[in-house]
Amino acid sequence: MDLELSIIVISLLFFILSGAGADMDVGVYNVKEYGAAGDGQTDSTKAFEAAWCAACAVEGMATIVIPEGAYLLGPIIFKGPYKGKMVMQLKGQLLASTHLEAYTQNWIDFQYINGLVISGGGTFHGQGASTWPYNQCPKTHKCKLLPVSLVFSFVTNATISGISSVDSKLFHLQIFESRDITLDSIRISAPGDSPNTDGIHIADSTNIQVANSVIGTSDDCISIGPGSTNLTIFNVLCGPGHGISVGSLGKNANEKDVNGLTVRKCTLTGTTNGLRIKTWPSSPATLKATGFLFEDIIMNNVYNPIIIDQNYCPYANCPEMDPSLVKIKDIKFRNITGSSVSPEAIKLVCSKATSCEGVELNDIILKCNGDDSQKYDVYLFSCLW
């Protein structure tokens, strides 16, 4: 018996010293226990900050629980590093403050974190309708940006699943300088006339996956900015909105290449663009957009199902400018089917300075549902441009 006891003690000591117990769930932190009201009117920002700080102080896996209810939150930063791993179970609804003067930049920021899980089926509600009239960015580039709902900056090893984002003031979700993040079973929605409410924007990040999600906004369902590498978008329903876009690229100096994008088994419905690559003319940056695969995509009454636009300018008055310096290379469109409402189902406008190289169009079957006088269908089985 003494020998058996000794073996158990030695095994336990080895388990602790080796760090094998580092992922053990060591504590549950309910925001209501820190003063969160959940009545939709009382500001719960300080209660959430207190719960986060308490969870960060422990070793192992800590869980922050946000139970059912509506929690009013001002701008808040959930910042690491912390000693273990963090789980945030959102079962209720978080409501963004509608007082724009309270914001310096974003609504909810997750920063400098390694090991994060957000789940629970709850909702991030940006309450954007009250602030959209103040967004002048669709009219001029000299404008003040409204707050982004959820921002992940310098985050590694994260899984965000089963949550919803509704009516953001600007972008719903933004990933910046991060890696190894999975977004799964996300629902994002905003009215079709809400300005700049992009679903997910990714920039300067690596190994990001978006899967099994539903996104409908007034802007890009998913937009991919400079410096993005090894991205996967799988089984996403997109619409309304501007489709799935790479770019715009080349607007600013020192932008980095975009390399490695796979978009597969997605459905776009009623969007103003389908699969789009857009770059600015007169670009101060010289960069590449390479290694893209768009495959097994269904278009339902989409305007511009396939478009490369290297003369991109979203403003009402765009002066004559020099060609884009962004090089587009090795882009594959395969098995793209469905219907287009524009007479041009495929539009390739490449830069005169760099040209496009290795653009493959294979098994493209798009039926035109536009005006009868402009109708024609596209049956393109193989083309390398």
Side-chain angles (χ1 to χ4, degrees):
M1 188 69 181
D2 290 340
L3 179 60
E4 291 180 358
L5 181 59
S6 298
I7 292 173
I8 292 172
V9 171
I10 292 170
S11 299
L12 182 59
L13 286 172
F14 178 79
F15 180 79
I16 294 172
L17 293 174
S18 66
D23 288 344
M24 293 179 64
D25 194 340
V26 297
V28 176
Y29 302 84
N30 190 318
V31 294
K32 283 200 167 183
E33 295 177 359
Y34 292 85
D39 59 4
Q41 298 179 352
T42 305
D43 190 334
S44 296
T45 308
K46 292 189 180 300
F48 275 67
E49 289 174 342
W52 179 265
C53 289
C56 284
V58 301
E59 296 184 2
M61 184 177 292
T63 300
I64 295 176
V65 174
I66 305 162
E68 293 184 0
Y71 302 85
L72 182 64
L73 279 184
I76 187 169
I77 298 176
F78 295 116
K79 191 173 184 178
Y82 39 70
K83 295 182 179 180
K85 293 184 179 179
M86 190 72 72
V87 176
M88 182 175 285
Q89 288 187 355
L90 173 61
K91 298 181 180 180
Q93 181 175 223
L94 304 186
L95 303 177
S97 170
T98 57
H99 299 292
L100 284 179
E101 65 274 9
Y103 297 89
T104 56
Q105 193 170 9
N106 305 311
W107 177 29
I108 299 176
D109 270 291
F110 292 89
Q111 299 179 353
Y112 302 100
I113 292 170
N114 182 9
L116 174 68
V117 174
I118 301 176
S119 60
T123 300
F124 296 88
H125 200 304
Q127 301 204 101
S130 64
T131 59
W132 293 330
Y134 300 101
N135 186 349
Q136 298 301 310
C137 294
K139 301 176 182 177
T140 174
H141 65 282
K142 296 179 180 179
C143 61
K144 180 177 174 57
L145 294 175
L146 296 179
V148 176
S149 280
L150 288 169
V151 179
F152 297 86
S153 302
F154 306 98
V155 173
T156 305
N157 298 320
T159 299
I160 299 96
S161 64
I163 57 97
S164 298
S165 178
V166 177
D167 290 358
S168 59
K169 294 178 175 62
L170 198 70
F171 294 0
H172 284 261
L173 194 152
Q174 181 171 300
I175 298 173
F176 175 73
E177 285 284 3
S178 297
R179 63 184 303 122
D180 302 322
I181 294 179
T182 296
L183 307 174
D184 195 349
S185 303
I186 307 295
R187 299 188 71 90
I188 295 175
S189 62
D193 58 354
S194 55
N196 301 120
T197 53
D198 293 54
I200 300 170
H201 180 69
I202 304 167
D204 293 302
S205 296
T206 301
N207 297 338
I208 311 298
Q209 177 175 287
V210 183
N212 309 314
S213 297
V214 179
I215 305 173
T217 72
S218 73
D219 215 299
D220 295 328
C221 291
I222 300 174
S223 59
I224 297 156
S228 300
T229 61
N230 194 21
L231 309 183
T232 300
I233 300 169
F234 175 79
N235 193 30
V236 169
L237 303 181
C238 168
H242 292 180
I244 297 173
S245 296
V246 178
S248 55
L249 304 177
K251 184 178 183 181
N252 303 307
N254 302 317
E255 289 184 8
K256 299 177 183 177
D257 296 346
V258 179
N259 183 28
L261 166 66
T262 298
V263 181
R264 182 178 280 121
K265 292 187 180 300
C266 295
T267 299
L268 294 88
T269 302
T271 55
T272 56
N273 294 285
L275 307 170
R276 176 169 60 156
I277 302 171
K278 50 184 177 177
T279 76
W280 288 85
S282 297
S283 48
T286 302
L287 67 149
K288 298 177 182 178
T290 61
F292 300 171
L293 172 62
F294 303 95
E295 187 174 41
D296 302 332
I297 309 297
I298 298 174
M299 305 282 182
N300 294 321
N301 292 328
V302 170
Y303 201 92
N304 295 323
I306 297 173
I307 178 170
I308 294 176
D309 182 5
Q310 294 209 259
N311 290 325
Y312 175 75
C313 178
Y315 308 120
N317 297 311
C318 298
E320 188 72 25
M321 293 183 280
D322 294 329
S324 175
L325 298 180
V326 179
K327 176 67 175 182
I328 294 176
K329 183 179 179 180
D330 296 333
I331 313 298
K332 298 177 176 64
F333 298 93
R334 295 176 175 171
N335 192 27
I336 314 297
T337 61
S339 56
S340 168
V341 293
S342 57
E344 285 185 295
I346 301 172
K347 186 176 182 180
L348 306 178
V349 180
C350 294
S351 170
K352 295 180 180 178
T354 60
S355 72
C356 298
E357 183 179 341
V359 177
E360 175 191 317
L361 298 161
N362 234 326
D363 294 329
I364 312 297
I365 303 176
L366 295 167
K367 183 177 178 60
C368 184
N369 287 343
D371 183 88
D372 285 342
S373 64
Q374 298 177 321
K375 266 193 177 182
Y376 67 90
D377 300 337
V378 174
Y379 299 90
L380 187 56
F381 297 106
S382 182
C383 179
L384 182 61
W385 193 55

